[in-house]
Amino acid sequence: MRPRVTLMLATVAVLVGVVTLAPAAVRLVTDDSGGTGAGAGAEPSPLSPPTLAAGPVSVDFQGDFFGWALLDRSTGKIDGSNNMSETNSAESVLKAWIVSDYLRQLGSKNPPTVLQTAASLAIRDSNDEAADEVYFAAGGSYRTQPDGKPDPVIQRAIKICGLTDTRRSSVAGKAGWWSFTEMSPRDGVRLGDCIASGKAAGPKWTTWVLHEMSNVRGSVKDQQAQSGGGRWGIIDGLPAEIRSPGPVSIKNGWTLLAYDDNWHVNCLAVTNKWSLAVMMRYPASHGLEYGAQVCASVATQLVTPQSGAALQVPQSPAGKL
């Protein structure tokens, strides 16, 4: 989390999941290539408990990039914004994969206590140093690979989870950094599904990883240089009827980056029914709270069925999201 100076402000109108710079035809994009079919269920009836389902999303977004994707884990169908294949730096969202990748390689063995503690801190507190410990134990390296591909840890995510848009960073000097790995919203929901289905961490450790993700702690205001509170975003946009039966497993990623003077904010949440990812870049002056509210707003708008008791769409410091 490094301080920056605001460089640019672009206003993007988002309607029904479509990011446009000017009035244009509206459509909701569907991709049937993702998912494992591991979740429950059919289209909710009026009497069904609330869940998330694809539908209109309206966000008056101020920034360079905003995209979202929702994967129905019962069908593998992915819906989202028409730019859901475009990428953002993944940031700490990848810590859930790094931990899963390391634990899967252990098979039936237990990790050393120090590494299991680090794995927990990497997810619950988004601790950077703890994540690096697990990353190197999993076989990761910050060196740029000779073939130009991401390092082995990220390559395994691409292969095991069926990611189609994820690639190493194009930012000068950051190509080997896992946090700068470029990922799209639709790959984000595939990653969430991959973790929840057991493919990422394997049969022994999946429940543990999901438990850690459901116990992410700390508010959006609780931020330090190498760690920070990550219990915000999508989880705040869900009604109690979704949060309480649980678990809702989450992992957010956020960094204030100097090279483009933007917050890079990503939110990921997964349950037994769905996986949702929201990704964005916007000026530093808006603060981290702005991104958290955008993620919550998207989640709230996708709650189905809506009722009179549905959560209100959160407001940004500058006005309507």
Side-chain angles (χ1 to χ4, degrees):
M1 299 138 191
R2 296 168 287 276
R4 304 172 296 156
V5 178
T6 304
L7 178 63
M8 62 193 304
L9 178 66
T11 300
V12 180
V14 181
L15 181 60
V16 197
V18 179
V19 180
T20 63
L21 295 178
V26 175
R27 63 193 178 96
L28 184 72
V29 175
T30 297
D31 182 343
D32 294 317
S33 64
T36 63
E43 189 73 16
S45 72
L47 299 179
S48 298
T51 186
L52 297 192
V57 170
S58 178
V59 178
D60 183 14
F61 180 73
Q62 298 176 336
D64 289 350
F65 172 75
F66 165 81
W68 65 273
L70 177 69
L71 184 149
D72 182 337
R73 298 195 60 231
S74 68
T75 65
K77 180 182 177 183
I78 301 175
D79 293 283
S81 55
N82 68 347
N83 63 345
M84 66 179 174
S85 64
E86 296 180 19
T87 61
N88 197 28
S89 60
E91 306 301 335
S92 293
V93 164
L94 277 174
K95 290 172 181 173
W97 165 259
I98 289 169
V99 167
S100 298
D101 184 53
Y102 168 67
L103 293 173
R104 187 194 66 259
Q105 294 180 66
L106 295 179
S108 61
K109 299 178 182 178
N110 291 324
T113 301
V114 66
L115 277 172
Q116 187 164 347
T117 299
S120 178
L121 292 174
I123 293 177
R124 292 194 182 206
D125 296 337
S126 204
N127 186 289
D128 293 339
E129 293 179 353
D132 273 346
E133 285 185 58
V134 181
Y135 172 71
F136 294 130
S141 171
Y142 278 117
R143 294 190 301 272
T144 302
Q145 301 301 302
D147 57 6
K149 295 180 179 179
D151 76 276
V153 173
I154 305 304
Q155 287 190 53
R156 285 192 291 270
I158 293 170
K159 181 178 180 180
I160 293 173
C161 300
L163 310 183
T164 58
D165 310 313
T166 300
R167 58 186 183 270
R168 73 172 190 165
S169 174
S170 59
V171 177
K174 306 298 184 183
W177 290 38
W178 59 260
S179 60
F180 279 79
T181 300
E182 296 182 20
M183 178 175 286
S184 65
R186 69 178 179 181
D187 272 0
V189 297
R190 289 166 177 155
L191 182 70
D193 178 67
C194 186
I195 293 170
S197 70
K199 293 168 65 177
K204 179 172 181 176
W205 292 104
T206 294
T207 300
W208 185 88
V209 170
L210 292 173
H211 176 75
E212 296 301 302
M213 292 174 68
S214 68
N215 283 279
V216 167
R217 55 200 173 197
S219 75
V220 72
K221 297 182 182 298
D222 181 23
Q223 303 299 318
Q224 294 82 43
Q226 296 294 323
S227 65
R231 193 167 187 82
W232 44 263
I234 292 170
I235 194 76
D236 293 331
L238 301 176
E241 295 90 336
I242 294 179
R243 297 195 312 269
S244 297
V248 179
S249 299
I250 66 172
K251 187 68 195 82
N252 296 326
W254 63 99
T255 304
L256 190 60
L257 291 175
Y259 78 89
D260 66 352
D261 290 311
N262 275 323
W263 275 105
H264 290 222
V265 177
N266 308 306
C267 298
L268 174 65
V270 62
T271 70
N272 66 327
K273 294 183 178 181
W274 49 261
S275 178
L276 173 64
V278 184
M279 297 184 170
M280 69 200 84
R281 294 187 300 274
Y282 59 85
S285 59
H286 285 34
L288 179 56
E289 292 87 350
Y290 179 80
Q293 291 171 341
V294 171
C295 290
S297 172
V298 173
T300 298
Q301 294 180 66
L302 294 175
V303 173
T304 303
Q306 294 279 358
S307 69
L311 295 180
Q312 297 298 311
V313 175
Q315 297 295 300
S316 75
K320 186 180 69 172
L321 293 174

